[in-house]
Amino acid sequence: MLYILGAGSLGLLWAARLQQADIACRVIVRNAEQLQAWQQRSNRLRFNDDTGNHTLTLNFETPDTARMIRHLIVATKAHSALEAVRQLRHRLRPAGDILMLQNGLGSQQAVAQACRAQQVFAASVTDGAWQPAPGELTWAGRGSSVVGPLDTGTPCPEWLNRLSTALFDWRWQTPIMPTLWRKLAINCAINPFTLIYDCHNGEVPAQAGAWLDSCLAELQELLNLKGVTEDLAPLVHDVIRSTAANSSSMRQDLHAGRRTEIDYILGYACRQASQHGLQVPALERLLDAAKDCLRQHQLPTD
Ligand code: NAD
């Protein structure tokens, strides 16, 4: 049995696809109130994908259920992950595994530190899913997942190998950290600018001008320190072109009045640079501007 922690967009997407692949899973919601809301909908999820609309019946439970957990997939936002996993500590089997789906970095390491008896894996996910209404999920963009262990050398868990690649476009990658760092750097170069200029991804180069180039140069230095030697600028400009009409997740969060993951993306990059003694004035200025923007919208800056 797989357990998914968090019944948000990505958690429900994984639950829906696991169910379609006939892999048993249970979704852990935040509290009794959320459980009741699902029960009132007969635990049914309306799942819209590019093949049509499907009605799926999922299994939900609260964190205080007694069952022990061997395989946990954490699908909360980065800032909720540690607290959410801590709530389940007494249910986690020693030598079990935890797969973290969060964007950015920091939450995976925090959970690995708190759960030393379990193996922690991290995924870089490019799917796009959102909830148009309670009990409804739209899989707007089919993406792929790259999964690997935080500790190199840990083998792929057998349940992951059972996932049909028809439903899950995923691949195993060890070490995973370079993949996570690459994605973090791309997010650092695009998302905060979309926040401060309130623009689509495609407008970032024109709005940010030379500031973007300075950020790219600093991010490249940081990536090199992390062992990623690929050229970042062409990667970022490719993403900007291919997602030109998209609103970044950070900008969507701002518009919806939700806490962003800035601290696990640009905040993490700036802290890591400082730990390495690397000067990143353009990134620091971007972080300050993004935080100002969040404050103006009365949103948390961490
Ligand atoms: P979301 O806000 O839709 O879902 C998070 C869910 O976690 C919420 O339902 C919340 O109630 C739940 N939660 C928080 N604390 C909890 C707790 N203690 N116990 C149980 N549930 C708890 O967010 P999302 O869009 O699903 O994103 C989750 C993560 O996946 C983020 O890091 C995001 O960046 C990443 N991601 C999302 C997508 C996507 O398409 N939505 C794609 C790639 C990566």
Side-chain angles (χ1 to χ4, degrees), residues 122-140:
S124 166
V125 178
T126 60
D127 289 283
W130 62 289
Q131 293 172 269
E136 189 171 347
L137 182 78
T138 298
W139 190 7

Side-chain angles (χ1 to χ4, degrees), residues 185-219 236-237 240 246-248 250-251 254-255 262 265-266 281-287 289-291 293:
I186 293 170
N187 283 335
C188 283
I190 302 174
N191 297 11
F193 282 120
T194 67
L195 204 68
I196 63 175
Y197 294 119
D198 194 16
C199 68
H200 290 106
N201 293 1
E203 296 160 66
V204 166
Q207 292 280 358
W211 191 2
L212 172 62
D213 299 332
S214 307
C215 288
L216 287 174
E218 292 174 8
L219 286 165
V236 167
H237 285 289
I240 288 175
N246 291 9
S247 209
S248 74
M250 215 176 259
R251 182 174 180 235
L254 177 83
H255 285 184
I262 185 94
I265 298 174
L266 187 54
L283 291 175
E284 296 280 5
R285 196 177 131 220
L286 182 57
L287 183 58
K291 286 183 175 178
C293 172

Side-chain angles (χ1 to χ4, degrees), residues 7-10 30 34 76-77 84 87 102-103 125 127-129 261:
S9 305
L10 197 57
R30 205 190 266 271
Q34 280 194 356
T76 66
K77 286 276 172 79
Q87 271 183 295
Q102 286 61 40
N103 251 341
V125 178
D127 289 283
E261 295 182 302

